Amino acid sequence: MLVETKLRIPRRRGVVGRERLGERLRRGDKLTVVSGPAGFGKTTLVAEWAAECGCSVAWVSLDRRDNDPALFWAYLLAALRIAEPGVGAGALSLLESGKPPIEAVLATLINDLDVLPNEIVVVLDDYHVIEARVVQEGMAFLVENLPPQVRLVIAARADPGLPLARLRARGELVEIRAADLRFRPDEAAAYLNGVMGLGLTARDVEALEGRTEGWIAALQLAALSMQGRDDAGAFIAGFAGDDRYVVDYLVEEVLQRQPEDVRRFLLQTSILERLTGPLCDAVTGQPGGKAMLVALERGNLFVVPLDDRRQWYRYHQLFADVLRAHLLDEQPDDVPELHRRASTWYEGNGEQAVAIDHALAAKDFDHAADLVELATPAMLKDRREGALLSWLEALPDEVIKVRPVLTVRYAGTLLSTNQTEGVESLLRDAERWLESANKTTKATPAGEQEVRRLPGWIAVYRAGLALMLGDPAATMTHARRALDLLDPDDLLGQGAASALIGLASWGSGDLETAHEAYTATTASLHKAGYIADVLGCSITLADIRIVQGRLGDAMRTYERALRLASEQDGPPLRGTPDMYVGISALHREHGDLEAATQYLDRSQELGEHLGLPQNRYRWRVAMARIREAEGDLDAAVDLYDEAERLYVGDFSPDVRPVPAMRARVWIAQGRMGDVSSWVSERGLSSEDELSYLREFEHVTLARALLAQHQSDEAIGLLERLLQSADEGGRSTIEILVLQALAQQLRGEVPAALVTLERALALAEPEGYFRIFVDEGAPVATLLKAAHQTEYVVRLLTAFDKTGRHGTTARQGLIEPLSDRELDVLRLLGTDLDGPDIARELIVSLNTVRTHTQHIYAKLGVNNRRAAVRRAEELDLLTHHR
């Protein structure tokens, strides 16, 4: 739950106008940093300017809990939605639904901000409390990519961990520092005499301003101390010392002049980061907290209202720090009890996170452990693993060890944060407790049923640990044991174990076992009522069937999932857009580009917020494939670039990597330099040991080898790939088509026809279409020589309609010819000799010879006549005019 008051611009009474600094804020560029020590008026300055700047403002007041990345970004997105409704909805959905790379979340946000018509200012107050590196890295990415209409203002006690030097060099940084923030004499006079009504002489004002060096908090404390004094001059004359001593002196003056009940209230409530009447009553044990807060605000006693209704407040941070120091000095034995009372109040009011923080501060570890144990399922579901882990690490080992449920959940939290160290030790601790004859434990707040379920969950987490350590065999062993141990009614546990079996099987290429396991997972989730998760599993089930070449089964999987989603009451379920993306890809393969596009449009209409984290990149991959089929290869590459940037992985194996798909388009474009770089980066070789996980990349390598006329090496690789895929029960259609093209390229047309017939026999029952048409003219040539079945005729008709729109039609699996080379090739088919061709093209004879050498190399020939014949086979001359 977010604290809404943190998203409101603070309002202060008696503010001195600071036009000189307001003008600098108005001139701010991409980033404005307001940096200075505590009490220098940073928040007041920015808040007053933000309230009057005339633009949309997204405000976040930060505290140390915001070092939790999920909480930090949730607050920022919430502030943006308040300033500009609708902004960041997709990013929030992505943040809440998985563990995506923060760049993917921020990329979505940046795209939203980029289309805003008006200026928006994002203010992060008290940014110095943010120490988490992952948050700072995300902020650096955000700052570097902010659209021009978005400005970021950061107020902090220290410089933020952002690329300030680079921004400064580019003129994109405005800095307001301590020297700028200090009150000048005229500003000090306006505050002391105008706001506080002290009636000081110009000399007294100048003296006090000089002694405090314009430090606003010290001036405020001095003004409070002088209220009611007749000896202001003497007070000022004796006012001296560095900041720390000045604060100590002034606070003593302020505190000593307060009635005892006020002083006691200030000290006891200083442990709270936020103040409200009922909470203060609970902590102090006395009524009247609300009235006291109102009185403190009216008395300018460093109480800052957090909302317009004056229900929530906070102390000025500097004042709170000093109050806490005095509390620890004067009443150290009372501090734990105060925190304990605060924890009880927050627990009763549904704010578990703050309740846990106070319980830990009270060193009431037993109660804190109980609260953490109860909060763990919701924290994991909300992807708040970072905060959860910090609580668990704060608990003493002896407290955790006697709580077996908490111990096991600690292990699960480590796995959820991609940590393996310590997991096995925790699981063994839990096992030792379960095996002990004399069990010493506190009654678990999660309930005895959770204790009975522990053996099954221990096995689940062992399976997850094995999967993270790259041991699929052990994953299978532990997951199957988990299924034996888990109660039949523990549907989530059953589903988790089945999913781990499926993941291990899928990654090793055992697709049928993977499909069976995921089918079981889907059944468990369906029975448990987790329909949105059923949709997610349906993607995996359909993907497996597609790899097996069973397009009909894949389509039926998506259609069943859509029917199930439509049967649910309320708005569309999360994951529904993903079903449309999957159906679109199948329609594309069937040759219905219009339907494929319509399904993608339907997915987009539902909104990115309803999609699973992976849908954003999968949508772009599907659209890229449509653009390939339409012949717009540049657009396809752009979409693949975007898909790679938005890629969000999960536990599923990435068997069709986006970079490999993009490399295939590069081959079609003749960008062999880029292709070679990709091959080198991936460490691919035709001699590699083959595995299912890299099969798509190796098939792409085979395409690259054919494009570079290394047909012998390509055929050797394809033969091994064919055997591996066949043995693994995976579709061999694409490999067979490439084999046929390789044989054709070597002049082995009869063999090529036999191979192609094998591919056709496998493809026809499932309605494959683009897998042939996308290969362009070389496949068309073979199809014309093949047995003219109704299926083959349909394919040939598509070639007549699409011409050279296939992804490799422009070159027939070789590096494409440039426009000038095509000009030369056309003239090579005439009776013109070299000098005549040069004159025709208005180039030198040497240039013609160079082009001719390139043409021969790209076509894989060594003379003019062969070049013309090869060009006719590839249908190059017909389409070049």
Side-chain angles (χ1 to χ4, degrees), residues 512-531:
E512 203 54 48
T513 300
H515 193 275
E516 291 174 1
Y518 257 90
T519 299
T521 297
T522 302
S524 294
L525 294 172
H526 190 182
K527 189 175 180 180
Y530 287 78
I531 306 303

Side-chain angles (χ1 to χ4, degrees), residues 176 272 475 497 503 576 689 821:
I176 298 177
L272 303 171
T475 302
L503 289 168
T576 304
E689 181 178 347
E821 288 166 349

Side-chain angles (χ1 to χ4, degrees), residues 202 462 587:
R462 278 219 171 92
H587 277 296

Side-chain angles (χ1 to χ4, degrees), residues 254-266:
V254 172
L255 288 177
Q256 288 178 1
R257 295 172 66 87
Q258 301 304 318
E260 180 57 28
D261 61 330
V262 175
R263 189 175 187 278
R264 184 170 57 252
F265 179 91
L266 290 171

Side-chain angles (χ1 to χ4, degrees), residues 553-607:
D553 286 346
M555 181 68 82
R556 285 185 286 275
T557 298
Y558 283 128
E559 290 171 345
R560 280 195 302 270
L562 276 179
R563 283 196 300 272
L564 180 62
S566 68
E567 293 167 359
Q568 310 306 309
D569 295 330
L573 283 179
R574 186 152 197 204
T576 304
D578 305 64
M579 303 300 100
Y580 289 112
V581 171
I583 292 174
S584 168
L586 292 170
H587 277 296
R588 179 212 176 272
E589 180 54 50
H590 288 150
D592 192 345
L593 298 185
E594 182 178 357
T597 303
Q598 289 173 351
Y599 275 99
L600 284 187
D601 290 343
R602 177 60 179 145
S603 173
Q604 200 168 41
E605 288 167 4
L606 288 172

Side-chain angles (χ1 to χ4, degrees), residues 172-487:
E172 297 176 340
L173 174 66
V174 170
E175 299 170 88
I176 298 177
R177 302 209 169 265
D180 308 305
L181 291 167
R182 298 181 194 278
F183 265 359
R184 292 179 177 180
D186 59 327
E187 293 169 331
Y191 175 73
L192 294 169
N193 291 332
V195 175
M196 301 300 294
L198 295 178
L200 301 179
T201 66
R203 179 174 295 180
D204 287 339
V205 172
E206 182 179 358
L208 188 56
E209 192 275 336
R211 295 287 177 89
T212 61
E213 297 184 13
W215 183 25
I216 299 170
L219 282 169
Q220 187 175 11
L221 288 167
L224 289 172
S225 297
M226 285 187 288
Q227 284 183 329
R229 282 181 177 269
D230 296 328
D231 57 345
F235 174 86
I236 294 171
F239 183 75
D242 63 28
D243 291 349
R244 181 167 62 84
Y245 294 116
V246 167
V247 172
D248 287 345
Y249 177 80
L250 291 176
V251 170
E252 286 295 334
E253 284 285 320
V254 172
L255 288 177
Q256 288 178 1
R257 295 172 66 87
Q258 301 304 318
E260 180 57 28
D261 61 330
V262 175
R263 189 175 187 278
R264 184 170 57 252
F265 179 91
L266 290 171
L267 292 178
Q268 291 180 338
T269 58
S270 67
I271 67 162
L272 303 171
E273 292 191 13
R274 295 181 296 134
L275 308 162
T276 192
L279 172 59
C280 292
D281 293 347
V283 170
T284 62
Q286 299 293 326
K290 182 177 181 179
M292 179 68 78
L293 290 171
V294 172
L296 292 176
E297 183 198 359
R298 288 176 177 171
N300 291 317
L301 211 59
F302 298 101
V303 177
V304 180
L306 295 175
D307 56 56
D308 295 334
R309 293 179 295 174
R310 298 302 197 268
Q311 290 189 349
W312 285 93
Y313 299 81
R314 69 170 176 83
Y315 289 125
H316 183 287
Q317 290 186 25
L318 179 64
F319 191 52
D321 289 343
V322 176
L323 288 176
R324 290 169 191 149
H326 279 269
L327 175 65
L328 287 171
D329 183 57
E330 297 178 17
Q331 306 171 35
D333 295 338
D334 294 342
V335 173
E337 178 58 27
L338 295 173
H339 279 292
R340 193 174 291 110
R341 294 174 183 175
S343 177
T344 300
W345 188 89
Y346 275 115
E347 181 185 0
N349 283 271
E351 295 195 41
Q352 295 293 95
V354 189
I356 292 170
D357 287 338
H358 280 290
L360 290 171
K363 299 189 183 304
D364 187 356
F365 295 124
D366 282 336
H367 188 55
D370 288 346
L371 293 175
V372 172
E373 185 171 312
L374 290 171
T376 299
M379 294 291 285
L380 290 174
K381 183 178 180 181
D382 293 340
R383 299 299 181 185
R384 297 283 308 281
E385 296 93 344
L388 177 58
L389 189 60
S390 68
W391 292 335
L392 290 165
E393 290 174 339
L395 293 171
D397 289 344
E398 58 270 20
V399 173
I400 294 177
K401 285 182 178 180
V402 296
R403 288 172 167 78
V405 173
L406 191 61
T407 300
V408 174
R409 289 179 176 175
Y410 193 172
T413 303
L414 289 172
L415 289 175
S416 297
T417 54
N418 296 315
Q419 298 183 60
T420 58
E421 185 176 353
V423 172
E424 180 60 29
S425 176
L426 287 166
L427 296 178
R428 287 178 179 172
D429 285 344
E431 283 181 325
R432 278 193 289 269
W433 182 91
L434 290 170
E435 294 168 358
S436 173
N438 299 312
K439 298 171 182 174
T440 301
T441 184
K442 181 181 180 297
T444 174
E448 290 304 314
Q449 183 182 43
E450 292 302 312
V451 175
R452 291 193 299 271
R453 289 176 169 179
L454 286 182
W457 277 100
I458 290 171
V460 167
Y461 289 138
R462 278 219 171 92
L465 177 61
L467 188 65
M468 291 184 66
L469 295 176
D471 189 346
T475 302
M476 299 285 282
T477 299
H478 293 304
R480 285 173 176 150
R481 183 167 186 267
L483 289 175
D484 292 336
L485 294 171
L486 288 164
D487 292 338

